[in-house]
Every structure is written in structure tokens, then in C-alpha cells.
Amino acid sequence: MGQVDPHRLALLVTAALLGGLLALGLGLQLGRRRLRARWVHHALFFAVCAGVGLSGLLSGLRGLALLPALALLLLMPRTRPGRAGHWRLALGCAAAFGVGLWGAW
């Protein structure tokens, strides 16, 4: 088996973190409101932001495809958790990351 490029590994790890973030956010949205889960959700959010930034840097010029995802992620704190705007923006972030992942791969 060949080696995985560092930028591709960063993209895959970030995608996994984003999947966990979305799953935990969905659980919180559906009523599983525990203090510990909220802190994990926030920690995952910061890890995803860092991962998108690192993936973009490691991908070179192709990493510019991740800028829309990073911009949408940075808008997340301006929305109110539990409201429709929050989960809609989260889905937009996931879609933008998917497109950016394809472009940066």
C-alpha cells in the first residue's frame, strides 16, 4: 500500500471530525442536551476549523477551494444554536467542505 500525502491525510481527518461534529450537533438539536456533549461539540468545532485551515495550507493552491468552507465555519458563532439558521449553516459548511475536499484532493 502506498503512502498517503500529508494534505490528503489532513483532509480525511478533517472530514471525519466534521462528520462527528455534525452527528453530535444533530443529537443536541434533537434534544440530547448534556453539558459535556456541548463542550465536546465546541471542541470538535475548533478542531474542524483548524483542520480546514491546515488542509488548505498543506494543499497549496488547490487549498483555495476550502476557503468557502472556512468562511462559513467562521460565521457559525453568529447563529443561534437550536435555531434553523444554525443547522442550515452547518449543512452549508458540510457541503462547502465536500466541494472543497474534491477541489483540494
Side-chain angles (χ1 to χ4, degrees):
M1 182 172 212
Q3 286 195 346
V4 178
D5 296 330
H7 79 278
R8 289 185 175 153
L9 180 62
L11 285 167
L12 292 174
V13 169
T14 303
L17 289 171
L18 181 60
L21 176 67
L22 291 171
L24 186 55
L26 179 61
L28 288 168
Q29 183 77 21
L30 295 176
R32 287 186 14 184
R33 299 192 187 275
R34 289 187 291 168
L35 187 59
R36 183 196 290 156
R38 286 186 60 211
W39 284 107
V40 172
H41 184 69
H42 291 148
L44 279 173
F45 172 76
F46 289 116
V48 168
C49 288
V52 171
L54 179 65
S55 297
L57 289 175
L58 292 175
S59 298
L61 286 178
R62 292 178 298 190
L64 293 174
L66 294 167
L67 280 179
L70 186 59
L72 290 175
L73 280 167
L74 295 177
L75 287 175
M76 284 301 294
R78 296 175 79 59
T79 63
R80 206 168 154 164
R83 303 284 174 128
H86 193 74
W87 64 262
R88 286 179 183 152
L89 185 57
L91 291 178
C93 290
F97 179 77
V99 171
L101 179 122
W102 179 72
W105 191 260

